[in-house]
């Protein structure tokens, strides 16, 4: 099968994942004698000591990942340039974004992501009856026949929200949402204008709104992603975990994870963020070296 040019909207990591599936498939065909030879040449490497070339390990090793080598696959691969994203928000940045987001609906979606750590698909997949205004709870549920392609990827769970956010959500439902609900939708967050008025907000549309607001707040829009709200809560909960205020099980339930190992990427980022702070504390509190005068002699 010929591989045609991709539009380049996949990251290099995604391309590698897809190629690994192809790799395993052809290895299986070769082992089952379904094909006489692999359609892609094996890679080769030169031994620095003997100056002789030898075959690398099987299929695609060194071929696909080395883009200087021209072959039927690698020369047609295109991938999206890796971008740096804001991993989490500082308190001041949160305030700036809330101020520049254009509507109560958009501000609420952003606040829910920060306060609960919900994924954008989970937030935009909320139904009206997933909001318990009396108890201040949002219900994360896995739904079928999703109109806006927003869905929950993690476990179903009940998430408590602050009284302030509860009141703001109630005001949105009584006010703007009731005015634009022309189709009696069961979704919580609806489009306010245009041909899609009354339809559920899509993750793609909300990302566009968030990026525009971020530019007004002085951010680089290429660094903005909807997942940063979830990451922000993860950092705050890690602070509480190390202070003994919450347990690992609490974090699992909050984020809908099955294993604490899922927290490892956030833990790595947390450690990097706090390394300088901890290092300064260690120097100030634990290391007491004598000072040296300008002439190089001890005082």
């Amino acid at each position: 099968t010929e591989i045609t040019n991709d539009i380049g909207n996949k990251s290099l990591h995604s391309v590698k994942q897809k190629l690994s599936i192809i790799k395993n498939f052809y290895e299986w065909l070769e082992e089952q004698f379904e094909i006489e030879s692999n359609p892609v040449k094996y890679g080769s490497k030169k031994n620095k000591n003997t100056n002789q070339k030898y075959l690398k390990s099987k299929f695609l090793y060194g071929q696909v990942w080395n883009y200087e080598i021209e072959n039927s696959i690698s020369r047609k691969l295109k991938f999206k340039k890796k971008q740096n994203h804001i991993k989490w928000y500082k308190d001041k940045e949160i305030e700036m974004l809330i101020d520049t987001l254009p509507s109560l609906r958009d501000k609420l979606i952003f606040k829910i992501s920060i306060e609960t750590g919900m994924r954008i698909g989970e937030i935009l997949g909320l139904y009206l009856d997933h909001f318990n205004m009396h108890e201040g709870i949002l219900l994360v549920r896995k739904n079928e026949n999703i109109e806006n392609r927003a869905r929950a990827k993690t476990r179903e769970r009940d998430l408590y929200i602050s009284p302030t956010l509860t009141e703001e959500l109630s005001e949105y439902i009584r006010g703007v949402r009731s005015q634009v609900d022309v189709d009696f939708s069961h979704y919580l967050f609806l489009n306010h204008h245009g041909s899609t008025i009354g339809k559920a907000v899509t993750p793609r549309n909300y990302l566009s709104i968030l990026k525009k607001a971020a530019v007004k707040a002085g951010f680089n829009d290429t660094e903005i992603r909807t997942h940063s709200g979830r990451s922000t809560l993860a950092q705050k909960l890690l602070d509480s975990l190390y202070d003994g205020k919450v347990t690992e099980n609490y974090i699992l339930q909050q984020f809908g994870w099955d294993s604490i190992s899922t927290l490892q990427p956030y833990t790595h980022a947390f450690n990097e963020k706090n390394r300088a702070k901890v290092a300064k504390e260690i120097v100030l509190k634990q290391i007491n070296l004598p000072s040296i005068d300008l002439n190089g002699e001890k005082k």
Side-chain angles (χ1 to χ4, degrees):
T1 302
E2 183 180 355
I3 297 180
T4 58
N5 287 329
D6 193 273
I7 60 175
N9 60 355
K10 303 291 184 183
S11 68
L12 178 58
H13 178 69
S14 296
V15 172
K16 285 185 175 182
Q17 282 186 321
K18 294 180 184 301
L19 284 170
S20 68
I21 298 174
I22 300 173
K23 166 188 170 183
N24 292 333
F25 174 66
Y26 275 107
E27 283 184 349
W28 179 83
L29 287 177
E30 189 179 26
E31 290 171 358
Q32 298 297 316
F33 303 102
E34 294 291 335
I35 57 176
E36 293 182 0
S37 62
N38 251 316
V40 180
K41 297 178 181 179
Y42 292 0
S44 64
K45 188 175 182 180
K46 183 179 290 187
N47 188 309
K48 294 181 180 179
N49 297 324
T50 64
N51 208 33
Q52 292 181 343
K53 289 186 177 180
Y54 62 91
L55 290 179
K56 287 185 179 180
S57 54
K58 286 210 173 200
F59 190 75
L60 291 182
Y61 187 94
Q63 288 285 318
V64 171
W65 317 136
N66 183 356
Y67 287 88
E68 294 178 357
I69 298 175
E70 287 292 321
N71 60 58
S72 60
I73 292 182
S74 64
R75 69 170 175 240
K76 293 185 178 180
L77 285 174
K78 294 182 180 179
F79 53 89
K80 183 169 59 177
K81 182 180 179 181
K82 185 177 180 180
Q83 296 178 338
N84 292 323
H85 294 102
I86 294 176
K87 295 182 175 62
W88 55 80
Y89 296 113
K90 299 176 183 177
D91 291 344
K92 182 62 177 178
E93 292 173 335
I94 293 172
E95 294 177 9
M96 292 166 61
L97 283 168
I98 291 175
D99 286 342
T100 54
L101 282 164
S103 70
L104 174 60
R105 178 203 65 189
D106 302 327
K107 298 176 192 291
L108 288 173
I109 293 172
F110 182 73
K111 288 186 70 173
I112 291 173
S113 73
I114 298 290
E115 192 167 304
T116 69
M118 290 171 64
R119 295 173 179 272
I120 190 62
E122 294 171 337
I123 298 173
L124 299 183
L126 287 169
Y127 291 172
L128 268 176
D129 57 10
H130 291 160
F131 171 47
N132 184 334
M133 68 178 63
H134 303 292
E135 299 293 334
I137 299 174
L138 292 175
L139 311 179
V140 179
R141 297 293 183 264
K142 294 184 177 181
N143 305 313
E144 297 180 356
N145 302 319
I146 301 170
E147 173 186 310
N148 59 353
R149 298 183 179 180
R151 61 186 181 89
K153 293 183 178 181
T154 48
R155 288 187 302 177
E156 295 184 344
R157 57 203 187 278
D158 299 353
L159 300 177
Y160 290 89
I161 58 176
S162 66
T164 300
L165 183 54
T166 299
E167 177 56 34
E168 290 169 342
L169 277 170
S170 300
E171 179 62 28
Y172 166 71
I173 293 171
R174 292 191 296 263
V176 178
R177 190 195 176 284
S178 65
Q179 298 171 17
V180 301
D181 189 16
V182 294
D183 294 326
F184 303 101
S185 174
H186 50 253
Y187 283 90
L188 177 56
F189 295 110
L190 305 178
N191 289 322
H192 295 175
H193 309 285
S195 60
T196 60
I197 186 171
K199 302 295 183 183
V201 179
T202 66
R204 184 173 182 176
N205 286 346
Y206 182 73
L207 176 59
S208 177
I209 293 170
L210 182 60
K211 282 178 175 289
K212 290 178 181 178
V215 170
K216 291 182 180 180
F219 293 88
N220 183 338
D221 65 338
T222 63
E223 297 180 348
I224 298 300
R225 58 176 188 162
T226 56
H227 202 75
S228 295
R230 185 173 174 86
S231 301
T232 299
L233 181 65
Q235 300 302 303
K236 292 182 180 296
L237 289 183
L238 279 170
D239 271 323
S240 298
L241 175 65
Y242 294 144
D243 290 340
K245 296 178 181 178
V246 301
T247 64
E248 289 185 349
N249 188 55
Y250 176 88
I251 296 177
L252 286 178
Q253 292 180 351
Q254 183 71 28
F255 287 99
W257 293 331
D258 293 318
S259 171
I260 199 64
S261 62
T262 314
L263 188 62
Q264 288 180 354
Y266 298 96
T267 303
H268 176 72
F270 177 85
N271 291 337
E272 285 297 309
K273 182 182 71 171
N274 289 277
R275 185 170 62 85
K277 176 183 175 182
V278 173
K280 289 180 181 179
E281 291 177 353
I282 290 175
V283 169
L284 292 174
K285 295 181 180 180
Q286 298 184 18
I287 300 176
N288 186 20
L289 297 176
S291 59
I292 301 175
D293 62 20
L294 295 178
N295 296 321
E297 294 191 4
K298 296 182 180 178
K299 292 182 179 179

